[in-house]
């Protein structure tokens, strides 16, 4: 028999204590299980967090890799665009200009010669404001052309513009052509061009055609041979001489694709034959499309440089000598008058009875050339020289015979001096001016020194 049997049955209290002990063991086991589960859950959470972080790291690495690849590609494109040069040329011997457009990592060279491309007359005439506007429009035109050629052009590049010119010759040409009244207007234009932007420079290159030609050639050859150069903008459309410069690169496809021809005036024949092998651009808001001397039919009354006032000696000599009509001259002089003189003889008057000058047909260029010949007006138009008759000599040219066309031009030169009789003059052979030939002049500050009453005259003749 067991001890329990020998001791007898357990009491209820003893049995209750035994149950409590068993329950305590169960509770302890359950608590241990919960603690173990909680510990495992914490470890699982940590593992999940680590896994999430690793996934984020991997995704970030992929994103970084894509971003780095994009940046590498962008840098490669910017490196390819790091230098672009533009060379152009504008035409006339007395006034050549050269422009350099330059970026921090992008360079453009532009040469200006009056016979080819020149700034629009409207810009030149505006002086200071025109210079500012020209610089602004030129920068915009260059940027627009660059964007059209190369859309990936970096936006942060800075453009520098440098213009070289024979300012003395340029001012003389513009003044003689009547585009500006005096050289100071061009000085103001240059000043405005320089003031518009700190990177815009208009520099006097000195006299001589070679000053800009040599710069153009050197800049062009340097640009096309530069491995970083993407494009060369070349403007010399009216000068066939540049066909030889461009022609030497026609067989080089890489260089030929770099060059962009800037069309101002129509292409000269030799350039027209090869222009289709290049890209062609034009800046119509900045430069003229025609040569300065092409198709200009300006009358003498439009912005003509005023002639010198006749000397007192000439006036006194003319007054001292008697007035002689063609019929009173010797036979030899009559022949000279008949063959040379414009259609003089009839005095035209308006409704108010004021004498008016008949119109003459000539160009502004013809006027300038005739004026520079310094011919004796009286001898060639009337067949006699009162100054030589009074003093035995004349400071003006007497030699040569003029055509009827040249006589009309000389008559226009003679009209730059006003007739002292004025509107009441009745002399049919008077070749002086009876009203100011400058139509825009109101007489307040007449450059030709015509009296106030010889302005604003009705020029319609009575029938």
């Amino acid at each position: 028999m067991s001890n329990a049997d020998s001791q007898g049955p357990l009491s209820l209290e003893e049995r209750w204590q035994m149950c409590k002990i068993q329950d305590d063991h169960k509770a302890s086991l359950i608590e241990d299980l919960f603690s173990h589960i909680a510990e495992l859950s914490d470890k699982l959470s940590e593992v999940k967090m680590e896994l999430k972080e690793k996934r984020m790291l991997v995704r970030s690495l992929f994103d970084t890799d894509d971003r780095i690849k994009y940046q590498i590609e962008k840098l490669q494109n910017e490196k390819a665009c790091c230098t672009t040069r533009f060379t152009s040329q504008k035409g006339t011997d007395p006034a050549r200009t050269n422009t350099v457009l330059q970026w921090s990592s992008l360079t453009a060279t532009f040469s200006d010669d009056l016979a080819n491309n020149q700034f629009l007359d409207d810009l030149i005439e505006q002086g200071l404001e025109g210079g500012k506007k020209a610089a602004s429009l030129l920068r915009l035109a260059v940027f627009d052309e660059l964007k059209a050629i190369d859309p990936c052009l970096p936006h942060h590049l800075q453009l520098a513009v440098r213009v070289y010119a024979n300012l003395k010759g340029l001012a003389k040409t513009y003044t003689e052509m009547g585009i500006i009244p005096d050289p100071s207007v061009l000085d103001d234009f240059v000043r405005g061009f320089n003031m518009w932007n700190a990177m815009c420079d208009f520099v006097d290159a000195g006299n001589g055609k070679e000053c800009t030609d040599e710069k153009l050639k050197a800049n062009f050859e340097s640009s096309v041979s530069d491995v970083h150069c993407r494009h060369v903008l070349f403007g010399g459309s009216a000068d066939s001489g540049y066909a030889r410069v461009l022609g030497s690169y026609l067989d080089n496809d890489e260089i030929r694709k770099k060059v962009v021809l800037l069309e101002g005036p129509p292409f000269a024949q030799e350039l027209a034959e090869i222009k289709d092998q290049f890209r062609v651009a034009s800046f119509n808001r900045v430069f003229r499309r025609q040569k300065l001397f092409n198709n200009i039919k300006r009358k003498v009354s439009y912005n003509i440089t005023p002639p010198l006032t006749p000397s007192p000696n000439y006036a006194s000599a003319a007054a001292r000598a008697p007035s002689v009509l063609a019929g009173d001259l010797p036979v030899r002089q009559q022949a000279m008058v008949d063959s040379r003189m414009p259609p003089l003889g009839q005095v035209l008057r308006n409704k108010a009875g004021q004498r008016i000058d008949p119109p003459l047909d000539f160009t502004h260029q013809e006027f300038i050339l005739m004026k520079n010949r310094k011919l004796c007006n009286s001898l060639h138009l009337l067949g006699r020289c009162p100054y030589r008759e009074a003093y035995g000599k004349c400071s003006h040219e007497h030699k040569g015979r003029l055509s009827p066309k040249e006589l009309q031009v000389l008559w226009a030169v003679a009209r730059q001096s006003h007739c002292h009789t004025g509107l009441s003059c009745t002399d049919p052979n008077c070749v002086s001016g009876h009203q100011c030939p400058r139509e825009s002049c109101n007489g307040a500050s007449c450059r030709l020194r015509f009296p106030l009453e010889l302005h604003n005259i009705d020029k319609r003749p009575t029938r």
Side-chain angles (χ1 to χ4, degrees):
M1 295 179 64
S2 63
N3 293 332
D5 293 337
S6 63
Q7 294 178 358
L10 296 175
S11 64
L12 292 175
E13 184 178 356
E14 289 176 343
R15 293 172 61 186
W16 165 244
Q17 291 295 331
M18 291 180 63
C19 288
K20 284 180 62 177
I21 292 172
Q22 292 178 356
D23 289 339
D24 291 339
H25 285 299
K26 291 180 181 178
S28 177
L29 177 61
I30 293 173
E31 289 178 357
D32 291 340
L33 289 174
F34 279 123
S35 297
H36 183 65
I37 291 173
E39 184 179 352
L40 292 177
S41 297
D42 292 340
K43 291 183 179 180
L44 179 61
S45 298
E46 292 178 1
V47 172
K48 287 183 178 180
M49 183 62 68
E50 291 178 359
L51 179 60
K52 183 178 180 180
E53 291 177 352
K54 290 181 179 180
R55 286 178 177 175
M56 293 176 62
L57 177 61
V58 172
R59 186 179 296 110
S60 176
L61 290 175
F62 277 113
D63 293 341
T64 302
D65 183 63
D66 293 339
R67 185 166 56 254
I68 291 175
K69 288 181 179 179
Y70 172 76
Q71 291 177 350
I72 291 175
E73 183 179 358
K74 183 178 179 180
L75 290 174
Q76 288 176 342
N77 291 334
E78 291 187 2
K79 180 181 178 181
C81 298
C82 67
T83 302
T84 303
R85 299 179 184 268
F86 296 85
T87 306
S88 153
Q89 192 275 337
K90 279 174 74 171
T92 299
D93 293 344
R96 292 193 162 241
T97 62
N98 178 66
T99 309
V100 177
L101 310 177
Q102 187 174 25
W103 290 259
S104 57
S105 61
L106 183 64
T107 303
T109 304
F110 183 92
S111 171
D112 177 21
D113 178 355
L114 195 59
N116 285 300
N117 295 18
Q118 59 279 150
F119 289 107
L120 293 174
D121 293 355
D122 291 343
L123 297 175
I124 298 295
E125 292 171 355
Q126 294 177 40
L128 184 70
E129 294 302 320
K132 294 179 181 180
K133 188 180 298 184
S136 174
L137 292 175
L138 181 56
R139 287 170 57 88
L140 290 175
V142 172
F143 275 127
D144 289 343
E145 182 63 23
L146 288 175
K147 291 177 182 178
I149 297 174
D150 196 348
C152 68
L153 184 72
H155 66 278
H156 61 274
L157 297 180
Q158 292 185 348
L159 169 66
V161 181
R162 181 164 296 165
V163 181
Y164 297 100
N166 172 8
L167 291 181
K168 182 177 180 180
L170 188 64
K172 179 181 178 182
T173 301
Y174 277 134
T175 303
E176 289 181 348
M177 295 306 300
I179 295 175
I180 57 177
D182 56 76
S184 64
V185 177
L186 181 62
D187 293 338
D188 291 339
F189 176 86
V190 172
R191 189 175 300 108
F193 193 93
N194 291 331
M195 291 171 57
W196 173 250
N197 188 282
M199 302 298 289
C200 291
D201 299 315
F202 201 124
V203 183
D204 189 351
N207 298 329
K209 180 178 183 294
E210 293 76 11
C211 292
T212 50
D213 277 349
E214 292 302 319
K215 290 180 181 293
L216 175 63
K217 182 179 179 181
N219 279 303
F220 179 77
E221 293 179 350
S222 174
S223 300
V224 297
S225 62
D226 191 341
V227 295
H228 299 293
C229 176
R230 286 285 300 271
H231 303 288
V232 177
L233 184 61
F234 188 95
S237 57
D239 192 340
S240 292
Y242 293 106
R244 292 187 292 274
V245 178
L246 296 170
S248 60
Y249 297 102
L250 290 178
D251 296 333
N252 191 324
D253 290 340
E254 181 180 357
I255 291 181
R256 184 168 51 82
K257 291 178 181 179
K258 288 183 179 182
V259 178
V260 180
L261 298 184
L262 177 62
E263 182 178 13
F267 282 102
Q269 181 177 357
E270 294 182 25
L271 285 174
E273 295 174 355
I274 64 174
K275 71 180 181 68
D276 292 337
Q277 301 187 50
F278 301 92
R279 179 184 175 95
V280 178
S282 59
F283 296 164
N284 296 335
R285 298 181 61 193
V286 184
F287 301 118
R288 295 169 57 102
R289 293 303 302 271
Q290 294 181 341
K291 288 184 179 180
L292 191 60
F293 292 99
N294 277 4
N295 301 323
I296 296 180
K297 293 285 289 183
R298 297 182 181 178
K299 295 298 182 180
V300 65
S301 59
Y302 182 77
N303 284 342
I304 293 177
T305 303
L308 297 176
T309 303
S311 64
N313 290 337
Y314 181 90
S316 60
R320 189 179 306 170
S323 177
V324 181
L325 298 179
D328 299 327
L329 297 175
V331 175
R332 182 182 63 82
Q333 289 189 342
Q334 287 187 33
M336 180 183 295
V337 173
D338 293 340
S339 62
R340 298 184 179 191
M341 190 173 62
L344 300 172
Q346 183 180 4
V347 176
L348 299 180
R349 298 189 181 276
N350 58 20
K351 291 183 179 181
Q354 300 167 322
R355 178 164 181 171
I356 58 176
D357 295 325
L360 300 174
D361 183 20
F362 62 95
T363 66
H364 183 74
Q365 184 179 2
E366 291 171 340
F367 175 86
I368 295 298
L369 294 175
M370 180 61 69
K371 181 181 175 183
N372 291 336
R373 292 174 66 178
K374 299 186 181 301
L375 300 177
C376 178
N377 299 338
S378 294
L379 180 71
H380 290 281
L381 293 174
L382 301 175
R384 54 179 292 273
C385 175
Y387 193 88
R388 186 172 62 178
E389 292 173 2
Y391 296 99
K393 62 179 180 179
C394 177
S395 60
H396 290 75
E397 183 62 49
H398 283 200
K399 297 180 181 179
R401 297 177 62 87
L402 303 183
S403 66
K405 175 66 174 179
E406 291 175 320
L407 288 173
Q408 289 205 48
V409 182
L410 182 60
W411 192 358
V413 174
R415 286 183 181 176
Q416 300 298 291
S417 300
H418 68 86
C419 173
H420 293 283
T421 307
L423 299 174
S424 60
C425 177
T426 59
D427 183 1
N429 290 327
C430 179
V431 295
S432 298
H434 299 91
Q435 56 267 173
C436 180
R438 298 181 68 246
E439 296 180 359
S440 59
C441 181
N442 59 12
S445 57
C446 181
R447 290 164 51 189
L448 301 184
R449 301 182 182 179
F450 272 58
L452 184 61
E453 62 270 15
L454 299 186
H455 293 80
N456 302 319
I457 305 300
D458 181 9
K459 297 183 180 181
R460 293 173 297 180
T462 56
R463 297 186 180 277

